[in-house]
Amino acid sequence: MSAVTGWGVVGLGWVARDHVLPAVAADPHAHVVAVCDRDPEALAAVGDGVVTTTDLAELLALDGLDAVYVATPNHAHLPVVRAVAAAGVPVLCEKPMAHTVDDAAAMVAAVGDGLAGTAFDQRFHPAHQRAADLVAEGRLGTVTAVRIVYGCWLPPEWLPPHTPSDGSNWRVDTALAGGGAAIDLAPHGIDLVGTLLGEDLTSLTAVTRRRVHPYTDPAADDSAALVGATASGTIVTAHVSFCLPDALPRRRLEVVGTRGQLVAENTLGQVAGGSLTFVDAATGAAEAVAFDPDGPFDRQVAAFGAAVRGDRDWPFPLARDLALHELLLHTLEKEAPCP
């Protein structure tokens, strides 16, 4: 294996162009070998020195390809991951794993013992990693609750940057996304619980609603409330929303314990920054907690690249990601369709 990881990227939408490609460029141990997208206009925007193709097989046949990042819409994850795994190339696939449990399970089966991961970038936000360290050190005492608010304003006509003029808002089309706000935003928090606490959710309930936005798909929710617990008894609550105006406070994470509380503001999301505060339970004194300034995508790409090169292990088994995906989707299946 080369000392530099050669990346391929499949799907050149907003996430890939604004976050993945810059993260690879920022890693001194990585470079982009090729990108693949069905839209020639998207390929034309890629810089010199990178192979561009509309043919996945052509990308997978290139020399120097060490890993592939899959950033297609949810329903297209499985065929791409299956092809990458069949080529023997490590694969990092965007969250959620797939739009259905069956597709996600098929992905795990296709990968087998190969190196693969789900791209939950918020695992790697420096503030969240610092919070996990403080929890592990016992600074919070017994952790009793994790509380999450994660929302945005996403009306039916919303399109992410770089979307073709004839594109659509696939995030609220259940055939493509698997749902609406709940499946798009809740997986981040569900995954993050394990990073913060060292143990995952084992139970979950949910209420979904379409309260504001008149989505064409009647099954696409624009908000959801979820309540769950870990095996040791930490209670987790999350409010996720596509109808939370962007000017309002909309990204907050709290980890509550018997000795103190951590409050993270504006760390949930794709970019660096935000704030982390520790509040002492004995005195009520608030203390700013410092953390590194680098972004979550930068850390994620660097960590997976290191696993590809054999420099360190990838700490998030795909089977674990599947179990959490099943927990969420089976919970949402029990919830009545959006009224």
Short mmCIF file of all heavy atoms in Angstrom, two decimals, residues 136-195:
data_model
loop_
_atom_site.label_atom_id
_atom_site.label_comp_id
_atom_site.label_asym_id
_atom_site.label_seq_id
_atom_site.Cartn_x
_atom_site.Cartn_y
_atom_site.Cartn_z
N ALA A 136 -15.52 9.73 29.48
CA ALA A 136 -14.70 8.57 29.83
C ALA A 136 -13.85 8.82 31.07
O ALA A 136 -13.59 7.90 31.86
CB ALA A 136 -13.81 8.18 28.65
N GLU A 137 -13.44 10.06 31.26
CA GLU A 137 -12.64 10.42 32.44
C GLU A 137 -13.48 10.50 33.71
O GLU A 137 -12.92 10.64 34.81
CB GLU A 137 -11.96 11.77 32.19
CG GLU A 137 -10.89 11.74 31.12
CD GLU A 137 -10.47 13.14 30.68
OE1 GLU A 137 -10.88 14.12 31.35
OE2 GLU A 137 -9.75 13.26 29.68
N GLY A 138 -14.79 10.44 33.59
CA GLY A 138 -15.66 10.53 34.76
C GLY A 138 -16.00 11.93 35.18
O GLY A 138 -16.57 12.15 36.26
N ARG A 139 -15.70 12.92 34.34
CA ARG A 139 -15.93 14.31 34.71
C ARG A 139 -17.41 14.60 34.95
O ARG A 139 -17.76 15.46 35.77
CB ARG A 139 -15.39 15.21 33.59
CG ARG A 139 -15.47 16.70 33.88
CD ARG A 139 -14.34 17.19 34.73
NE ARG A 139 -14.44 18.62 35.04
CZ ARG A 139 -13.99 19.59 34.24
NH1 ARG A 139 -13.41 19.29 33.09
NH2 ARG A 139 -14.10 20.85 34.61
N LEU A 140 -18.29 13.88 34.27
CA LEU A 140 -19.72 14.12 34.41
C LEU A 140 -20.36 13.23 35.47
O LEU A 140 -21.56 13.35 35.74
CB LEU A 140 -20.44 13.92 33.08
CG LEU A 140 -20.51 15.13 32.14
CD1 LEU A 140 -19.12 15.52 31.65
CD2 LEU A 140 -21.41 14.85 30.95
N GLY A 141 -19.61 12.32 36.07
CA GLY A 141 -20.20 11.36 36.98
C GLY A 141 -21.00 10.32 36.20
O GLY A 141 -20.61 9.90 35.11
N THR A 142 -22.12 9.90 36.77
CA THR A 142 -23.01 8.98 36.06
C THR A 142 -23.82 9.75 35.03
O THR A 142 -24.56 10.69 35.39
CB THR A 142 -23.96 8.28 37.05
OG1 THR A 142 -23.19 7.55 38.01
CG2 THR A 142 -24.91 7.34 36.32
N VAL A 143 -23.69 9.40 33.77
CA VAL A 143 -24.44 10.09 32.72
C VAL A 143 -25.88 9.60 32.73
O VAL A 143 -26.14 8.40 32.60
CB VAL A 143 -23.79 9.87 31.34
CG1 VAL A 143 -24.62 10.55 30.26
CG2 VAL A 143 -22.37 10.40 31.32
N THR A 144 -26.79 10.54 32.88
CA THR A 144 -28.20 10.19 32.98
C THR A 144 -28.99 10.48 31.71
O THR A 144 -30.03 9.85 31.48
CB THR A 144 -28.86 10.97 34.14
OG1 THR A 144 -28.69 12.38 33.91
CG2 THR A 144 -28.20 10.60 35.47
N ALA A 145 -28.50 11.42 30.88
CA ALA A 145 -29.29 11.81 29.71
C ALA A 145 -28.40 12.40 28.62
O ALA A 145 -27.38 13.03 28.91
CB ALA A 145 -30.37 12.81 30.08
N VAL A 146 -28.81 12.17 27.40
CA VAL A 146 -28.27 12.87 26.23
C VAL A 146 -29.46 13.52 25.54
O VAL A 146 -30.46 12.84 25.26
CB VAL A 146 -27.55 11.92 25.26
CG1 VAL A 146 -27.09 12.68 24.01
CG2 VAL A 146 -26.36 11.25 25.94
N ARG A 147 -29.36 14.84 25.29
CA ARG A 147 -30.47 15.57 24.67
C ARG A 147 -29.97 16.26 23.41
O ARG A 147 -28.95 16.95 23.43
CB ARG A 147 -31.04 16.59 25.66
CG ARG A 147 -31.55 15.97 26.96
CD ARG A 147 -32.38 16.94 27.78
NE ARG A 147 -31.59 17.98 28.39
CZ ARG A 147 -31.41 18.11 29.72
NH1 ARG A 147 -31.92 17.21 30.54
NH2 ARG A 147 -30.72 19.11 30.21
N ILE A 148 -30.71 16.09 22.33
CA ILE A 148 -30.28 16.57 21.02
C ILE A 148 -31.39 17.39 20.37
O ILE A 148 -32.56 16.97 20.37
CB ILE A 148 -29.92 15.39 20.09
CG1 ILE A 148 -28.71 14.62 20.64
CG2 ILE A 148 -29.64 15.87 18.66
CD1 ILE A 148 -28.48 13.29 19.96
N VAL A 149 -31.02 18.53 19.83
CA VAL A 149 -31.88 19.29 18.91
C VAL A 149 -31.09 19.49 17.64
O VAL A 149 -29.98 20.04 17.66
CB VAL A 149 -32.30 20.66 19.49
CG1 VAL A 149 -33.05 21.47 18.44
CG2 VAL A 149 -33.14 20.48 20.75
N TYR A 150 -31.63 19.02 16.52
CA TYR A 150 -30.91 19.11 15.26
C TYR A 150 -31.93 19.37 14.16
O TYR A 150 -32.74 18.51 13.83
CB TYR A 150 -30.17 17.80 15.00
CG TYR A 150 -29.22 17.81 13.81
CD1 TYR A 150 -28.72 18.99 13.27
CD2 TYR A 150 -28.80 16.61 13.25
CE1 TYR A 150 -27.84 18.98 12.21
CE2 TYR A 150 -27.92 16.59 12.18
CZ TYR A 150 -27.44 17.76 11.67
OH TYR A 150 -26.57 17.75 10.60
N GLY A 151 -31.91 20.59 13.61
CA GLY A 151 -32.92 20.92 12.63
C GLY A 151 -32.44 21.91 11.59
O GLY A 151 -31.35 22.47 11.67
N CYS A 152 -33.29 22.14 10.62
CA CYS A 152 -33.03 23.10 9.54
C CYS A 152 -34.37 23.41 8.87
O CYS A 152 -35.40 22.85 9.23
CB CYS A 152 -32.03 22.54 8.53
SG CYS A 152 -32.56 21.00 7.73
N TRP A 153 -34.33 24.31 7.91
CA TRP A 153 -35.53 24.66 7.15
C TRP A 153 -35.39 24.06 5.77
O TRP A 153 -34.52 24.44 5.00
CB TRP A 153 -35.68 26.17 7.07
CG TRP A 153 -36.95 26.64 6.41
CD1 TRP A 153 -37.10 27.09 5.14
CD2 TRP A 153 -38.25 26.69 7.01
NE1 TRP A 153 -38.40 27.43 4.89
CE2 TRP A 153 -39.14 27.19 6.03
CE3 TRP A 153 -38.75 26.36 8.28
CZ2 TRP A 153 -40.50 27.37 6.28
CZ3 TRP A 153 -40.11 26.54 8.52
CH2 TRP A 153 -40.97 27.04 7.53
N LEU A 154 -36.24 23.09 5.44
CA LEU A 154 -36.11 22.37 4.18
C LEU A 154 -37.48 22.24 3.53
O LEU A 154 -38.17 21.23 3.68
CB LEU A 154 -35.47 20.99 4.42
CG LEU A 154 -34.83 20.32 3.20
CD1 LEU A 154 -33.65 19.47 3.62
CD2 LEU A 154 -35.83 19.46 2.46
N PRO A 155 -37.92 23.28 2.81
CA PRO A 155 -39.22 23.25 2.14
C PRO A 155 -39.18 22.35 0.90
O PRO A 155 -38.12 21.90 0.48
CB PRO A 155 -39.44 24.71 1.76
CG PRO A 155 -38.06 25.26 1.59
CD PRO A 155 -37.21 24.55 2.60
N PRO A 156 -40.35 22.08 0.30
CA PRO A 156 -40.39 21.17 -0.84
C PRO A 156 -39.49 21.59 -2.00
O PRO A 156 -38.90 20.74 -2.68
CB PRO A 156 -41.86 21.21 -1.26
CG PRO A 156 -42.60 21.59 -0.04
CD PRO A 156 -41.69 22.52 0.71
N GLU A 157 -39.35 22.89 -2.22
CA GLU A 157 -38.57 23.36 -3.38
C GLU A 157 -37.08 23.46 -3.10
O GLU A 157 -36.30 23.81 -3.99
CB GLU A 157 -39.11 24.73 -3.81
CG GLU A 157 -38.87 25.88 -2.83
CD GLU A 157 -39.93 25.98 -1.74
OE1 GLU A 157 -40.79 25.06 -1.64
OE2 GLU A 157 -39.90 26.97 -0.99
N TRP A 158 -36.66 23.15 -1.88
CA TRP A 158 -35.24 23.28 -1.53
C TRP A 158 -34.38 22.36 -2.37
O TRP A 158 -34.71 21.20 -2.60
CB TRP A 158 -35.03 22.95 -0.06
CG TRP A 158 -33.59 23.06 0.40
CD1 TRP A 158 -32.95 24.18 0.83
CD2 TRP A 158 -32.63 22.00 0.47
NE1 TRP A 158 -31.65 23.89 1.17
CE2 TRP A 158 -31.43 22.56 0.95
CE3 TRP A 158 -32.67 20.63 0.16
CZ2 TRP A 158 -30.27 21.80 1.15
CZ3 TRP A 158 -31.52 19.87 0.35
CH2 TRP A 158 -30.35 20.46 0.85
N LEU A 159 -33.25 22.89 -2.83
CA LEU A 159 -32.26 22.10 -3.54
C LEU A 159 -30.89 22.43 -2.95
O LEU A 159 -30.58 23.60 -2.71
CB LEU A 159 -32.25 22.41 -5.04
CG LEU A 159 -33.49 22.01 -5.83
CD1 LEU A 159 -33.36 22.49 -7.27
CD2 LEU A 159 -33.71 20.50 -5.78
N PRO A 160 -30.06 21.43 -2.70
CA PRO A 160 -28.72 21.71 -2.19
C PRO A 160 -27.86 22.38 -3.26
O PRO A 160 -28.19 22.33 -4.46
CB PRO A 160 -28.18 20.33 -1.83
CG PRO A 160 -28.93 19.39 -2.72
CD PRO A 160 -30.29 20.00 -2.90
N PRO A 161 -26.76 22.99 -2.86
CA PRO A 161 -25.86 23.57 -3.86
C PRO A 161 -25.42 22.52 -4.87
O PRO A 161 -25.33 21.33 -4.57
CB PRO A 161 -24.67 24.05 -3.01
CG PRO A 161 -25.23 24.23 -1.64
CD PRO A 161 -26.29 23.19 -1.49
N HIS A 162 -25.16 22.98 -6.08
CA HIS A 162 -24.63 22.15 -7.17
C HIS A 162 -25.66 21.21 -7.77
O HIS A 162 -25.31 20.36 -8.58
CB HIS A 162 -23.41 21.34 -6.72
CG HIS A 162 -22.43 22.09 -5.88
ND1 HIS A 162 -21.82 23.25 -6.32
CD2 HIS A 162 -21.98 21.87 -4.62
CE1 HIS A 162 -21.01 23.69 -5.36
NE2 HIS A 162 -21.10 22.89 -4.33
N THR A 163 -26.94 21.34 -7.39
CA THR A 163 -27.96 20.49 -7.97
C THR A 163 -28.33 20.99 -9.36
O THR A 163 -28.52 22.19 -9.55
CB THR A 163 -29.22 20.49 -7.09
OG1 THR A 163 -28.88 20.04 -5.78
CG2 THR A 163 -30.29 19.57 -7.67
N PRO A 164 -28.43 20.10 -10.35
CA PRO A 164 -28.86 20.54 -11.68
C PRO A 164 -30.22 21.21 -11.63
O PRO A 164 -31.03 20.95 -10.72
CB PRO A 164 -28.93 19.22 -12.48
CG PRO A 164 -28.03 18.28 -11.74
CD PRO A 164 -28.11 18.66 -10.30
N SER A 165 -30.46 22.10 -12.56
CA SER A 165 -31.71 22.87 -12.56
C SER A 165 -32.94 21.98 -12.66
O SER A 165 -34.03 22.36 -12.22
CB SER A 165 -31.71 23.87 -13.72
OG SER A 165 -31.53 23.20 -14.96
N ASP A 166 -32.78 20.79 -13.23
CA ASP A 166 -33.91 19.87 -13.34
C ASP A 166 -33.90 18.86 -12.20
O ASP A 166 -34.63 17.86 -12.23
CB ASP A 166 -33.89 19.14 -14.68
CG ASP A 166 -32.63 18.31 -14.88
OD1 ASP A 166 -31.67 18.46 -14.09
OD2 ASP A 166 -32.60 17.51 -15.84
N GLY A 167 -33.10 19.10 -11.16
CA GLY A 167 -33.02 18.18 -10.03
C GLY A 167 -34.23 18.30 -9.12
O GLY A 167 -35.09 19.16 -9.28
N SER A 168 -34.28 17.40 -8.13
CA SER A 168 -35.40 17.38 -7.21
C SER A 168 -34.88 17.21 -5.79
O SER A 168 -33.73 16.85 -5.57
CB SER A 168 -36.36 16.23 -7.54
OG SER A 168 -35.69 14.97 -7.39
N ASN A 169 -35.75 17.47 -4.84
CA ASN A 169 -35.40 17.36 -3.43
C ASN A 169 -35.60 15.90 -3.01
O ASN A 169 -36.61 15.55 -2.41
CB ASN A 169 -36.28 18.30 -2.60
CG ASN A 169 -35.87 18.36 -1.15
OD1 ASN A 169 -34.93 17.69 -0.73
ND2 ASN A 169 -36.57 19.16 -0.37
N TRP A 170 -34.62 15.06 -3.32
CA TRP A 170 -34.78 13.62 -3.07
C TRP A 170 -34.85 13.29 -1.58
O TRP A 170 -35.34 12.22 -1.20
CB TRP A 170 -33.65 12.82 -3.73
CG TRP A 170 -32.26 13.13 -3.24
CD1 TRP A 170 -31.36 13.97 -3.80
CD2 TRP A 170 -31.62 12.56 -2.09
NE1 TRP A 170 -30.19 13.99 -3.07
CE2 TRP A 170 -30.32 13.13 -2.01
CE3 TRP A 170 -32.00 11.65 -1.11
CZ2 TRP A 170 -29.42 12.81 -1.00
CZ3 TRP A 170 -31.10 11.32 -0.10
CH2 TRP A 170 -29.83 11.89 -0.05
N ARG A 171 -34.43 14.19 -0.71
CA ARG A 171 -34.45 13.93 0.73
C ARG A 171 -35.85 13.81 1.30
O ARG A 171 -36.02 13.35 2.45
CB ARG A 171 -33.65 15.00 1.48
CG ARG A 171 -32.15 14.85 1.32
CD ARG A 171 -31.38 16.03 1.88
NE ARG A 171 -29.95 15.83 1.83
CZ ARG A 171 -29.20 15.99 0.75
NH1 ARG A 171 -29.78 16.37 -0.40
NH2 ARG A 171 -27.90 15.78 0.79
N VAL A 172 -36.87 14.24 0.56
CA VAL A 172 -38.25 14.09 1.02
C VAL A 172 -39.05 13.21 0.06
O VAL A 172 -40.27 13.33 -0.04
CB VAL A 172 -38.92 15.46 1.23
CG1 VAL A 172 -38.29 16.18 2.41
CG2 VAL A 172 -38.84 16.32 -0.02
N ASP A 173 -38.35 12.33 -0.62
CA ASP A 173 -38.97 11.31 -1.48
C ASP A 173 -38.65 9.96 -0.85
O ASP A 173 -37.50 9.53 -0.87
CB ASP A 173 -38.41 11.41 -2.89
CG ASP A 173 -39.05 10.43 -3.87
OD1 ASP A 173 -39.59 9.39 -3.41
OD2 ASP A 173 -38.98 10.68 -5.08
N THR A 174 -39.62 9.30 -0.26
CA THR A 174 -39.33 8.08 0.50
C THR A 174 -38.78 6.97 -0.38
O THR A 174 -38.06 6.10 0.10
CB THR A 174 -40.59 7.58 1.23
OG1 THR A 174 -41.67 7.44 0.30
CG2 THR A 174 -41.00 8.55 2.32
N ALA A 175 -39.10 6.97 -1.67
CA ALA A 175 -38.55 5.95 -2.56
C ALA A 175 -37.05 6.10 -2.72
O ALA A 175 -36.34 5.12 -3.01
CB ALA A 175 -39.24 6.01 -3.92
N LEU A 176 -36.56 7.31 -2.56
CA LEU A 176 -35.13 7.58 -2.73
C LEU A 176 -34.40 7.72 -1.39
O LEU A 176 -33.27 7.26 -1.24
CB LEU A 176 -34.93 8.87 -3.54
CG LEU A 176 -35.63 8.94 -4.88
CD1 LEU A 176 -35.30 10.26 -5.57
CD2 LEU A 176 -35.24 7.77 -5.78
N ALA A 177 -35.05 8.36 -0.43
CA ALA A 177 -34.41 8.63 0.85
C ALA A 177 -34.80 7.65 1.94
O ALA A 177 -34.04 7.41 2.88
CB ALA A 177 -34.75 10.05 1.31
N GLY A 178 -36.01 7.09 1.85
CA GLY A 178 -36.50 6.21 2.89
C GLY A 178 -37.40 6.91 3.89
O GLY A 178 -37.92 6.30 4.81
N GLY A 179 -37.60 8.22 3.72
CA GLY A 179 -38.42 8.99 4.65
C GLY A 179 -38.14 10.46 4.48
O GLY A 179 -37.81 10.93 3.39
N GLY A 180 -38.21 11.19 5.58
CA GLY A 180 -37.96 12.63 5.56
C GLY A 180 -36.94 13.02 6.60
O GLY A 180 -35.82 12.52 6.62
N ALA A 181 -37.34 13.93 7.51
CA ALA A 181 -36.41 14.45 8.51
C ALA A 181 -35.86 13.35 9.41
O ALA A 181 -34.68 13.37 9.78
CB ALA A 181 -37.11 15.52 9.35
N ALA A 182 -36.70 12.39 9.79
CA ALA A 182 -36.26 11.38 10.75
C ALA A 182 -35.11 10.54 10.21
O ALA A 182 -34.10 10.34 10.89
CB ALA A 182 -37.43 10.49 11.15
N ILE A 183 -35.23 10.05 8.99
CA ILE A 183 -34.16 9.20 8.46
C ILE A 183 -32.95 10.02 8.02
O ILE A 183 -31.83 9.52 7.98
CB ILE A 183 -34.67 8.31 7.31
CG1 ILE A 183 -33.66 7.19 7.02
CG2 ILE A 183 -34.95 9.13 6.05
CD1 ILE A 183 -34.16 6.14 6.06
N ASP A 184 -33.15 11.30 7.72
CA ASP A 184 -32.03 12.12 7.28
C ASP A 184 -31.20 12.63 8.46
O ASP A 184 -29.96 12.63 8.40
CB ASP A 184 -32.54 13.31 6.47
CG ASP A 184 -31.41 14.06 5.79
OD1 ASP A 184 -30.84 13.50 4.83
OD2 ASP A 184 -31.09 15.18 6.21
N LEU A 185 -31.85 13.06 9.53
CA LEU A 185 -31.14 13.72 10.63
C LEU A 185 -30.94 12.84 11.86
O LEU A 185 -29.92 12.95 12.53
CB LEU A 185 -31.90 14.99 11.03
CG LEU A 185 -32.04 16.05 9.93
CD1 LEU A 185 -32.87 17.22 10.44
CD2 LEU A 185 -30.69 16.54 9.44
N ALA A 186 -31.91 11.99 12.18
CA ALA A 186 -31.80 11.20 13.41
C ALA A 186 -30.62 10.24 13.43
O ALA A 186 -30.04 10.01 14.50
CB ALA A 186 -33.11 10.45 13.66
N PRO A 187 -30.21 9.64 12.29
CA PRO A 187 -29.07 8.72 12.37
C PRO A 187 -27.81 9.34 12.96
O PRO A 187 -27.02 8.63 13.62
CB PRO A 187 -28.85 8.32 10.90
CG PRO A 187 -30.21 8.42 10.29
CD PRO A 187 -30.82 9.63 10.95
N HIS A 188 -27.59 10.64 12.75
CA HIS A 188 -26.41 11.28 13.32
C HIS A 188 -26.42 11.16 14.84
O HIS A 188 -25.43 10.77 15.46
CB HIS A 188 -26.37 12.76 12.94
CG HIS A 188 -25.85 13.03 11.57
ND1 HIS A 188 -24.57 12.68 11.18
CD2 HIS A 188 -26.43 13.62 10.50
CE1 HIS A 188 -24.38 13.05 9.93
NE2 HIS A 188 -25.49 13.62 9.49
N GLY A 189 -27.54 11.53 15.47
CA GLY A 189 -27.61 11.48 16.92
C GLY A 189 -27.57 10.08 17.46
O GLY A 189 -26.93 9.81 18.49
N ILE A 190 -28.26 9.15 16.79
CA ILE A 190 -28.26 7.76 17.24
C ILE A 190 -26.86 7.19 17.22
O ILE A 190 -26.42 6.50 18.14
CB ILE A 190 -29.23 6.94 16.35
CG1 ILE A 190 -30.67 7.37 16.64
CG2 ILE A 190 -29.05 5.44 16.57
CD1 ILE A 190 -31.68 6.78 15.69
N ASP A 191 -26.11 7.48 16.17
CA ASP A 191 -24.72 7.03 16.10
C ASP A 191 -23.86 7.74 17.13
O ASP A 191 -23.00 7.12 17.78
CB ASP A 191 -24.16 7.30 14.71
CG ASP A 191 -22.67 7.02 14.62
OD1 ASP A 191 -22.30 5.83 14.54
OD2 ASP A 191 -21.88 7.97 14.69
N LEU A 192 -24.09 9.03 17.33
CA LEU A 192 -23.23 9.83 18.19
C LEU A 192 -23.32 9.40 19.65
O LEU A 192 -22.35 9.56 20.40
CB LEU A 192 -23.61 11.30 18.04
CG LEU A 192 -22.67 12.35 18.63
CD1 LEU A 192 -21.25 12.17 18.09
CD2 LEU A 192 -23.18 13.75 18.31
N VAL A 193 -24.45 8.85 20.06
CA VAL A 193 -24.58 8.37 21.43
C VAL A 193 -23.46 7.38 21.77
O VAL A 193 -22.84 7.45 22.83
CB VAL A 193 -25.96 7.72 21.64
CG1 VAL A 193 -26.01 6.94 22.96
CG2 VAL A 193 -27.05 8.78 21.62
N GLY A 194 -23.18 6.47 20.85
CA GLY A 194 -22.13 5.49 21.09
C GLY A 194 -20.76 6.12 21.20
O GLY A 194 -19.93 5.69 22.02
N THR A 195 -20.50 7.13 20.37
CA THR A 195 -19.22 7.84 20.45
C THR A 195 -19.07 8.56 21.77
O THR A 195 -18.00 8.54 22.40
CB THR A 195 -19.12 8.85 19.30
OG1 THR A 195 -19.13 8.15 18.05
CG2 THR A 195 -17.84 9.68 19.39
#
